[in-house]
Amino acid sequence: MVCAGIYVLTGTVAREIAGPCILLSFLLAGLKSLLAALCYAEFGTRIPKAGSAYVYTYVSVGEFWAFVIGWNIILEHMIGAASVARAWSGYVDSLFDGAISNATISFTGEMHEELLGKYPDLLAGAVCIVYACLLGLGVKVSTIVNSFLTLVNLVVVILVICVGFYYANEENWSLPGQGFLPYGFGRVVAGAATCFYAFVGFDSIATSGEEAKNPSFSIPMATVLSMGVVTVGYILVSAAVTLMVPFNEINPNAALPDAFSSIGLHWIKFVVSVGALCVMDYSSVFWAKSAPRLKCPL
Protein backbone atom coordinates (compact mmCIF):
# COMPACT_ATOMS: atom_id res chain seq x y z
CA MET A 1 0.00 0.00 0.00
CA VAL A 2 3.03 2.28 0.29
CA CYS A 3 2.78 3.00 -3.40
CA ALA A 4 3.63 5.76 -5.85
CA GLY A 5 1.17 8.09 -4.12
CA ILE A 6 3.74 8.93 -1.46
CA TYR A 7 6.03 10.39 -4.13
CA VAL A 8 3.32 12.00 -6.27
CA LEU A 9 0.32 12.96 -4.13
CA THR A 10 2.27 14.60 -1.31
CA GLY A 11 3.40 17.51 -3.47
CA THR A 12 0.16 17.91 -5.41
CA VAL A 13 -2.15 17.92 -2.38
CA ALA A 14 0.11 20.11 -0.23
CA ARG A 15 0.71 22.72 -2.93
CA GLU A 16 -2.65 22.89 -4.69
CA ILE A 17 -5.33 21.61 -2.29
CA ALA A 18 -4.70 21.45 1.45
CA GLY A 19 -1.41 23.16 2.36
CA PRO A 20 0.38 22.05 5.56
CA CYS A 21 -2.81 20.41 6.85
CA ILE A 22 -2.24 17.64 4.34
CA LEU A 23 -1.58 15.68 7.53
CA LEU A 24 -5.28 15.84 8.33
CA SER A 25 -6.14 14.88 4.75
CA PHE A 26 -4.05 11.72 5.00
CA LEU A 27 -5.58 10.98 8.41
CA LEU A 28 -9.13 11.26 7.06
CA ALA A 29 -8.23 9.23 3.98
CA GLY A 30 -6.69 6.58 6.22
CA LEU A 31 -9.85 6.33 8.34
CA LYS A 32 -12.03 6.03 5.22
CA SER A 33 -9.73 3.39 3.78
CA LEU A 34 -9.75 1.48 7.08
CA LEU A 35 -13.55 1.27 7.06
CA ALA A 36 -13.56 0.03 3.46
CA ALA A 37 -10.72 -2.39 4.22
CA LEU A 38 -12.61 -3.84 7.20
CA CYS A 39 -15.58 -4.50 4.90
CA TYR A 40 -13.24 -6.39 2.58
CA ALA A 41 -11.81 -8.23 5.58
CA GLU A 42 -15.31 -9.27 6.68
CA PHE A 43 -16.05 -10.67 3.25
CA GLY A 44 -12.61 -12.28 3.12
CA THR A 45 -13.18 -14.19 6.35
CA ARG A 46 -16.70 -15.29 5.42
CA ILE A 47 -15.77 -16.20 1.83
CA PRO A 48 -12.07 -17.20 1.89
CA LYS A 49 -11.71 -17.54 -1.88
CA ALA A 50 -9.56 -15.76 -4.47
CA GLY A 51 -11.43 -13.29 -6.62
CA SER A 52 -11.90 -10.23 -4.40
CA ALA A 53 -15.12 -8.26 -4.94
CA TYR A 54 -16.17 -10.51 -7.84
CA VAL A 55 -16.52 -13.59 -5.64
CA TYR A 56 -18.11 -11.61 -2.81
CA THR A 57 -20.71 -10.16 -5.18
CA TYR A 58 -21.30 -13.53 -6.83
CA VAL A 59 -22.14 -15.15 -3.49
CA SER A 60 -24.13 -12.29 -1.96
CA VAL A 61 -25.92 -10.60 -4.91
CA GLY A 62 -25.80 -12.76 -7.99
CA GLU A 63 -24.00 -13.71 -11.18
CA PHE A 64 -24.85 -10.71 -13.37
CA TRP A 65 -23.62 -8.00 -11.01
CA ALA A 66 -20.58 -10.11 -10.17
CA PHE A 67 -19.80 -10.32 -13.90
CA VAL A 68 -20.01 -6.52 -14.25
CA ILE A 69 -17.92 -5.85 -11.13
CA GLY A 70 -15.34 -8.49 -12.04
CA TRP A 71 -14.58 -7.01 -15.45
CA ASN A 72 -14.52 -3.51 -13.98
CA ILE A 73 -11.87 -4.63 -11.52
CA ILE A 74 -9.82 -6.20 -14.31
CA LEU A 75 -10.07 -2.90 -16.20
CA GLU A 76 -8.91 -1.11 -13.05
CA HIS A 77 -5.87 -3.38 -12.82
CA MET A 78 -5.02 -2.90 -16.49
CA ILE A 79 -5.26 0.89 -16.23
CA GLY A 80 -3.35 0.85 -12.95
CA ALA A 81 -0.47 -1.18 -14.40
CA ALA A 82 -0.34 1.01 -17.51
CA SER A 83 -0.42 4.29 -15.56
CA VAL A 84 2.33 3.19 -13.18
CA ALA A 85 4.48 1.99 -16.09
CA ARG A 86 3.93 5.37 -17.75
CA ALA A 87 4.94 7.16 -14.54
CA TRP A 88 8.03 4.93 -14.28
CA SER A 89 8.99 5.83 -17.83
CA GLY A 90 8.46 9.54 -17.20
CA TYR A 91 10.54 9.41 -14.01
CA VAL A 92 13.44 7.70 -15.78
CA ASP A 93 13.14 10.16 -18.65
CA SER A 94 13.33 13.09 -16.22
CA LEU A 95 16.54 11.68 -14.71
CA PHE A 96 18.09 11.81 -18.20
CA ASP A 97 16.75 15.34 -18.88
CA GLY A 98 14.18 14.16 -21.45
CA ALA A 99 16.66 12.28 -23.64
CA ILE A 100 14.43 9.19 -23.93
CA SER A 101 11.29 11.09 -24.95
CA ASN A 102 13.22 13.25 -27.41
CA ALA A 103 14.79 10.19 -29.02
CA THR A 104 11.39 8.47 -29.26
CA ILE A 105 9.76 11.54 -30.85
CA SER A 106 12.58 11.87 -33.37
CA PHE A 107 12.13 8.20 -34.31
CA THR A 108 8.33 7.87 -34.37
CA GLY A 109 7.11 11.45 -34.62
CA GLU A 110 4.41 13.09 -32.49
CA MET A 111 0.76 12.08 -32.21
CA HIS A 112 -1.83 14.84 -32.30
CA GLU A 113 -4.91 13.05 -30.93
CA GLU A 114 -6.52 14.49 -27.79
CA LEU A 115 -7.01 11.16 -25.99
CA LEU A 116 -3.53 9.84 -26.78
CA GLY A 117 -0.12 10.74 -25.48
CA LYS A 118 2.32 13.00 -27.25
CA TYR A 119 4.35 10.02 -28.40
CA PRO A 120 4.15 6.20 -28.13
CA ASP A 121 5.83 5.31 -24.85
CA LEU A 122 7.90 2.32 -25.93
CA LEU A 123 9.75 2.17 -22.60
CA ALA A 124 6.50 1.86 -20.63
CA GLY A 125 5.35 -0.95 -22.93
CA ALA A 126 8.65 -2.75 -22.47
CA VAL A 127 8.32 -2.39 -18.69
CA CYS A 128 4.87 -4.05 -18.77
CA ILE A 129 6.28 -6.96 -20.82
CA VAL A 130 9.17 -7.40 -18.37
CA TYR A 131 6.76 -7.53 -15.41
CA ALA A 132 4.59 -10.09 -17.21
CA CYS A 133 7.65 -12.27 -17.81
CA LEU A 134 8.65 -11.86 -14.16
CA LEU A 135 5.26 -13.09 -13.00
CA GLY A 136 5.53 -15.98 -15.43
CA LEU A 137 8.55 -17.25 -13.51
CA GLY A 138 6.29 -18.10 -10.58
CA VAL A 139 4.95 -16.72 -7.32
CA LYS A 140 8.16 -17.43 -5.39
CA VAL A 141 10.32 -15.30 -7.72
CA SER A 142 7.85 -12.41 -7.86
CA THR A 143 7.49 -12.52 -4.06
CA ILE A 144 11.26 -12.27 -3.58
CA VAL A 145 11.45 -9.33 -6.00
CA ASN A 146 8.50 -7.61 -4.30
CA SER A 147 10.05 -8.10 -0.86
CA PHE A 148 13.32 -6.56 -2.03
CA LEU A 149 11.58 -3.57 -3.64
CA THR A 150 9.47 -3.04 -0.52
CA LEU A 151 12.56 -3.15 1.71
CA VAL A 152 14.33 -0.52 -0.41
CA ASN A 153 11.23 1.66 -0.38
CA LEU A 154 10.87 1.45 3.41
CA VAL A 155 14.54 2.38 3.89
CA VAL A 156 14.10 5.42 1.64
CA VAL A 157 10.89 6.49 3.43
CA ILE A 158 12.58 6.22 6.85
CA LEU A 159 15.54 8.23 5.54
CA VAL A 160 13.20 10.93 4.19
CA ILE A 161 11.38 11.17 7.53
CA CYS A 162 14.52 11.32 9.67
CA VAL A 163 16.43 13.81 7.50
CA GLY A 164 13.29 15.87 6.88
CA PHE A 165 12.57 16.35 10.57
CA TYR A 166 16.24 17.12 11.25
CA TYR A 167 16.06 20.07 8.84
CA ALA A 168 12.51 21.03 9.80
CA ASN A 169 11.51 24.66 10.28
CA GLU A 170 8.26 25.05 12.23
CA GLU A 171 7.80 28.55 10.79
CA ASN A 172 6.76 26.92 7.50
CA TRP A 173 3.50 25.92 9.21
CA SER A 174 2.69 29.49 10.19
CA LEU A 175 3.45 31.61 7.14
CA PRO A 176 2.15 35.22 7.28
CA GLY A 177 -1.44 35.33 6.09
CA GLN A 178 -1.53 31.55 5.54
CA GLY A 179 -1.23 29.55 8.77
CA PHE A 180 -1.74 25.81 9.13
CA LEU A 181 -5.15 25.89 7.38
CA PRO A 182 -4.53 28.27 4.47
CA TYR A 183 -7.48 27.04 2.38
CA GLY A 184 -9.97 26.14 5.10
CA PHE A 185 -11.28 22.80 6.37
CA GLY A 186 -13.25 22.19 3.18
CA ARG A 187 -10.01 21.80 1.25
CA VAL A 188 -8.81 19.33 3.86
CA VAL A 189 -11.76 17.09 2.98
CA ALA A 190 -11.08 17.60 -0.73
CA GLY A 191 -7.46 16.65 -0.12
CA ALA A 192 -8.59 13.50 1.71
CA ALA A 193 -10.56 12.45 -1.38
CA THR A 194 -7.38 12.76 -3.45
CA CYS A 195 -5.20 11.08 -0.82
CA PHE A 196 -7.52 8.05 -0.87
CA TYR A 197 -5.68 6.95 -4.04
CA ALA A 198 -2.53 6.47 -1.97
CA PHE A 199 -4.22 3.66 0.01
CA VAL A 200 -5.25 1.57 -3.00
CA GLY A 201 -4.24 -2.04 -2.45
CA PHE A 202 -5.89 -2.88 0.87
CA ASP A 203 -8.24 -5.28 -0.94
CA SER A 204 -5.28 -7.51 -1.79
CA ILE A 205 -5.12 -8.58 1.87
CA ALA A 206 -8.66 -9.93 1.73
CA THR A 207 -7.98 -11.85 -1.49
CA SER A 208 -5.37 -13.89 0.38
CA GLY A 209 -8.00 -15.53 2.58
CA GLU A 210 -7.74 -18.80 0.67
CA GLU A 211 -4.04 -19.00 1.54
CA ALA A 212 -4.33 -17.98 5.22
CA LYS A 213 -4.34 -20.63 7.96
CA ASN A 214 -6.76 -18.69 10.17
CA PRO A 215 -8.43 -16.07 7.96
CA SER A 216 -11.01 -15.02 10.55
CA PHE A 217 -8.18 -13.65 12.73
CA SER A 218 -5.23 -12.99 10.43
CA ILE A 219 -7.03 -10.98 7.74
CA PRO A 220 -8.68 -8.37 10.03
CA MET A 221 -5.50 -8.10 12.11
CA ALA A 222 -3.29 -7.68 9.03
CA THR A 223 -5.73 -5.11 7.64
CA VAL A 224 -5.79 -2.93 10.75
CA LEU A 225 -2.02 -3.12 11.34
CA SER A 226 -1.07 -2.40 7.73
CA MET A 227 -3.52 0.49 7.42
CA GLY A 228 -2.23 1.99 10.67
CA VAL A 229 1.44 1.74 9.68
CA VAL A 230 0.82 3.13 6.19
CA THR A 231 -1.25 6.05 7.50
CA VAL A 232 1.43 7.01 10.04
CA GLY A 233 4.07 6.79 7.31
CA TYR A 234 2.14 9.08 4.96
CA ILE A 235 1.52 11.61 7.74
CA LEU A 236 5.20 11.68 8.77
CA VAL A 237 6.44 12.09 5.19
CA SER A 238 4.00 14.90 4.42
CA ALA A 239 4.91 16.59 7.73
CA ALA A 240 8.62 16.36 6.92
CA VAL A 241 8.15 17.89 3.46
CA THR A 242 5.92 20.77 4.59
CA LEU A 243 8.28 21.54 7.48
CA MET A 244 11.34 21.65 5.23
CA VAL A 245 9.80 23.79 2.47
CA PRO A 246 6.91 26.30 2.55
CA PHE A 247 3.89 24.61 1.00
CA ASN A 248 3.57 27.30 -1.69
CA GLU A 249 7.11 26.51 -2.91
CA ILE A 250 6.67 22.74 -3.19
CA ASN A 251 7.07 21.28 -6.67
CA PRO A 252 3.87 19.22 -7.22
CA ASN A 253 5.60 17.00 -9.80
CA ALA A 254 8.66 16.10 -7.74
CA ALA A 255 8.02 17.18 -4.15
CA LEU A 256 10.56 15.03 -2.32
CA PRO A 257 13.62 15.45 -4.58
CA ASP A 258 13.09 19.19 -4.97
CA ALA A 259 12.49 19.68 -1.24
CA PHE A 260 15.90 18.22 -0.38
CA SER A 261 17.59 20.04 -3.26
CA SER A 262 16.22 23.34 -1.96
CA ILE A 263 18.09 22.90 1.32
CA GLY A 264 21.32 21.78 -0.35
CA LEU A 265 21.00 17.99 0.10
CA HIS A 266 21.38 17.04 -3.55
CA TRP A 267 22.60 13.52 -2.80
CA ILE A 268 19.25 12.56 -1.27
CA LYS A 269 17.58 13.47 -4.57
CA PHE A 270 19.13 10.39 -6.15
CA VAL A 271 18.26 8.20 -3.16
CA VAL A 272 14.63 9.33 -3.38
CA SER A 273 14.68 8.65 -7.12
CA VAL A 274 15.77 5.06 -6.46
CA GLY A 275 12.98 4.67 -3.91
CA ALA A 276 10.41 6.10 -6.34
CA LEU A 277 11.47 3.71 -9.09
CA CYS A 278 11.37 0.75 -6.68
CA VAL A 279 7.88 1.60 -5.44
CA MET A 280 6.66 2.04 -9.02
CA ASP A 281 8.14 -1.36 -9.87
CA TYR A 282 6.33 -2.83 -6.88
CA SER A 283 3.05 -1.18 -7.89
CA SER A 284 3.31 -2.51 -11.44
CA VAL A 285 3.97 -6.04 -10.22
CA PHE A 286 1.07 -5.71 -7.76
CA TRP A 287 -1.42 -4.67 -10.48
CA ALA A 288 -0.20 -7.36 -12.86
CA LYS A 289 -0.25 -10.04 -10.14
CA SER A 290 -3.79 -9.26 -8.97
CA ALA A 291 -5.41 -9.59 -12.40
CA PRO A 292 -4.98 -13.41 -12.78
CA ARG A 293 -6.67 -13.95 -9.40
CA LEU A 294 -9.78 -12.39 -10.91
CA LYS A 295 -9.54 -13.92 -14.38
CA CYS A 296 -9.45 -17.46 -13.02
CA PRO A 297 -12.77 -17.20 -11.12
CA LEU A 298 -14.34 -15.34 -14.07
Side-chain angles (χ1 to χ4, degrees):
M1 282 181 289
V2 183
C3 62
I6 199 171
Y7 297 96
V8 179
L9 291 180
T10 302
T12 302
V13 176
R15 172 68 182 271
E16 301 176 357
I17 302 178
C21 58
I22 183 179
L23 285 69
L24 302 179
S25 295
F26 271 118
L27 180 60
L28 290 177
L31 293 175
K32 291 189 298 183
S33 302
L34 176 61
L35 295 177
L38 289 176
C39 292
Y40 269 93
E42 178 69 19
F43 277 116
T45 56
R46 290 179 178 270
I47 312 170
K49 300 290 183 181
S52 185
Y54 165 75
V55 173
Y56 308 152
T57 308
Y58 188 94
V59 173
S60 58
V61 179
E63 185 174 357
F64 173 76
W65 293 111
F67 178 84
V68 174
I69 289 176
W71 282 106
N72 273 308
I73 296 176
I74 290 178
L75 178 62
E76 173 194 355
H77 289 167
M78 292 173 59
I79 294 175
S83 62
V84 173
R86 181 68 181 87
W88 191 96
S89 173
Y91 215 98
V92 172
D93 186 46
S94 67
L95 292 177
F96 291 97
D97 296 324
I100 298 175
S101 59
N102 293 333
T104 304
I105 291 174
S106 64
F107 179 73
T108 63
E110 292 189 15
M111 297 186 295
H112 302 283
E113 296 292 334
E114 290 187 3
L115 299 179
L116 299 178
K118 186 178 180 181
Y119 61 92
D121 198 333
L122 303 179
L123 180 58
V127 167
C128 291
I129 294 174
V130 170
Y131 293 145
C133 295
L134 176 64
L135 292 174
L137 296 177
V139 176
K140 182 178 292 186
V141 176
S142 61
T143 300
I144 293 174
V145 173
N146 269 352
S147 300
F148 173 75
L149 295 175
T150 302
L151 179 62
V152 173
N153 182 42
L154 290 177
V155 171
V156 172
V157 169
I158 293 173
L159 177 65
V160 167
I161 294 172
C162 294
V163 177
F165 277 101
Y166 182 80
Y167 288 94
N169 181 7
E170 62 275 7
E171 294 181 359
N172 291 328
W173 277 6
S174 56
L175 298 177
Q178 302 289 341
F180 186 69
L181 286 167
Y183 303 122
F185 187 76
R187 299 298 290 274
V188 175
V189 178
T194 305
C195 292
F196 184 80
Y197 169 77
F199 294 89
V200 171
F202 54 76
D203 58 320
S204 62
I205 300 175
T207 60
S208 304
E210 195 172 5
E211 305 160 15
K213 293 183 178 180
N214 185 13
S216 60
F217 171 79
S218 56
I219 290 182
M221 182 61 66
T223 300
V224 173
L225 290 178
S226 60
M227 292 298 298
V229 171
V230 169
T231 302
V232 171
Y234 282 146
I235 290 175
L236 291 178
V237 169
S238 58
V241 173
T242 53
L243 283 171
M244 280 193 299
V245 183
F247 76 93
N248 51 13
E249 297 179 9
I250 293 176
N251 182 358
N253 297 320
L256 298 183
D258 279 20
F260 288 107
S261 295
S262 65
I263 59 175
L265 300 177
H266 299 284
W267 62 274
I268 294 189
K269 176 180 179 180
F270 298 99
V271 176
V272 171
S273 299
V274 171
L277 293 177
C278 286
V279 76
M280 290 178 189
D281 288 331
Y282 168 79
S283 299
S284 295
V285 173
F286 163 75
W287 288 115
K289 185 178 180 180
S290 301
R293 293 193 175 194
L294 284 167
K295 292 177 182 177
C296 290
L298 277 169

